[in-house]
Amino acid sequence: MVMLQKWRLFIHLFSCGWIVVSDFAASKVFKNAHLFALCSIVKGLFFVIVTASLLYFLIRSKLYILYVSESKLQSALDRLQKANLELCQTQEKLVSQYKELVKNQEKIKELAYFDTLTGLPNRNHFLFMLEKSTKGHNCIWICCKKGC
């Protein structure tokens, strides 16, 4: 933004300076009105060409800055998309590992509380269910738990 303001100031100063200096010089050099008018047309044409050239280079420099910014943004977007893909893959792995963990926990619970041969509840299951049903009740359960 500051660069644009500097360019505008330069163009304004150049324009004013050109008009003042060229009019003064033309009035001193050309005393004939017809030659002065012809000189004014030429200097006006020259002024338009110079101004157009300055604007062209200003626009060109701004377009280059935009191009560089767009390239940087595209690069950042590519990196972001790559990181997002990696995160999605990691999330899928974590979900898969979590499902496997839950499955393994269920298998451990099954092995701990059920007989592998018959599939019937074992002694640990009986003691777990007994403890669960008598929770908060004081009874002879303590003796059974210790194996008396």
Side-chain angles (χ1 to χ4, degrees), residues 62-77:
K62 293 301 173 187
L63 285 176
Y64 178 74
I65 291 169
L66 284 174
Y67 173 75
V68 169
S69 297
E70 181 185 17
S71 297
K72 288 179 182 179
L73 284 173
Q74 186 62 44
S75 175
L77 178 64

Side-chain angles (χ1 to χ4, degrees), residues 31-55:
K31 300 294 182 190
N32 184 346
H34 180 67
L35 288 177
F36 182 75
L38 186 61
C39 179
S40 292
I41 291 172
V42 170
K43 74 180 180 93
L45 182 62
F46 182 73
F47 177 76
V48 169
I49 290 171
V50 169
T51 304
S53 298
L54 288 174
L55 289 174

